[in-house]
Amino acid sequence: TNCPSNGLCSRLPPDCMTCNTNYSCIYGKTATFDCKVKPHVHCVQENFTINMTCQFCWQLATSDYVCTNSTNCMTVSCPRQRYNATCTVRDHIHCLGNRVFPKMLYCNWTGGYKWSTALALSITLGGFGADRFYLGQWREGLGKLFSFGGLGIWTLIDVLLIGVGYVGPADGSLYI
């Protein structure tokens, strides 16, 4: 189903063809590659050439491949955490090498918390722990609530820490 029949061979996805390596290609430049379709594919003109940029699949722009997402990433950490992802090149992109490759990516996800909301809560209701409750840090929220924001000192410190982005959501996500 991925290799439609009776069409132009040069318009097939890369998985439907085999191309000879062009050893004279210059990285980043457009080069011509001699290709032929795989045995189970039937199309018009089984031997053909395609023009593509001379680069390996793992060197493509991030918009040319799709990667798996991490489920246990903590983005609010120093240094920023990375995770192992498996990336697959999109069907219409031609490149050299393996079309599925591993890549180390930075943790980058959001749980829906807004920085502006957290800062506004810290300034207005920070003495009652509203900012910490909003960010999912309920223990610190209870501490601020029962100590009246550390008699104001904890509140002022939290305004600064949330303002510069040092204190973030408890789930480790980034602000929106």
Side-chain angles (χ1 to χ4, degrees):
T1 58
N2 291 341
C3 301
S5 296
N6 300 329
L8 284 174
C9 294
S10 59
R11 300 218 184 252
L12 291 172
D15 290 336
C16 302
M17 63 180 78
T18 305
C19 297
N20 295 334
T21 305
N22 184 345
Y23 292 106
S24 64
C25 76
I26 299 170
Y27 174 74
K29 303 285 185 188
T30 303
T32 303
F33 292 82
D34 294 323
C35 302
K36 63 181 178 178
V37 294
K38 292 188 176 176
H40 66 281
V41 179
H42 302 288
C43 58
V44 178
Q45 192 179 11
E46 292 186 4
N47 293 324
F48 56 94
T49 60
I50 60 167
N51 292 323
M52 68 178 184
T53 304
C54 182
Q55 63 184 356
F56 287 99
C57 294
W58 58 270
Q59 296 172 317
L60 292 170
T62 55
S63 59
D64 292 337
Y65 54 84
V66 179
C67 298
T68 57
N69 289 327
S70 175
T71 56
N72 59 353
C73 250
M74 292 292 290
T75 57
V76 184
S77 63
C78 189
R80 274 181 65 195
Q81 281 188 345
R82 291 175 166 235
Y83 68 96
N84 288 321
T86 302
C87 301
T88 306
V89 178
R90 296 186 187 275
D91 284 340
H92 64 282
I93 305 294
H94 292 278
C95 56
L96 302 173
N98 295 329
R99 298 186 61 78
V100 177
F101 53 91
K103 192 161 191 157
M104 291 289 289
L105 298 175
Y106 282 110
C107 293
N108 189 20
W109 64 283
T110 180
Y113 298 95
K114 289 186 175 181
W115 171 81
S116 57
T117 303
L119 185 61
L121 285 172
S122 184
I123 293 169
T124 58
L125 299 171
F128 301 106
D131 52 350
R132 295 292 185 142
F133 285 122
Y134 172 72
L135 294 173
Q137 302 171 357
W138 61 272
R139 289 182 186 106
E140 292 86 348
L142 286 174
K144 284 179 77 172
L145 177 65
F146 292 125
S147 68
F148 299 107
L151 298 177
I153 296 170
W154 193 353
T155 302
L156 290 174
I157 292 171
D158 267 0
V159 168
L160 291 172
L161 293 178
I162 290 172
V164 298
Y166 187 78
V167 172
D171 63 1
S173 66
L174 297 174
Y175 289 115
I176 295 177

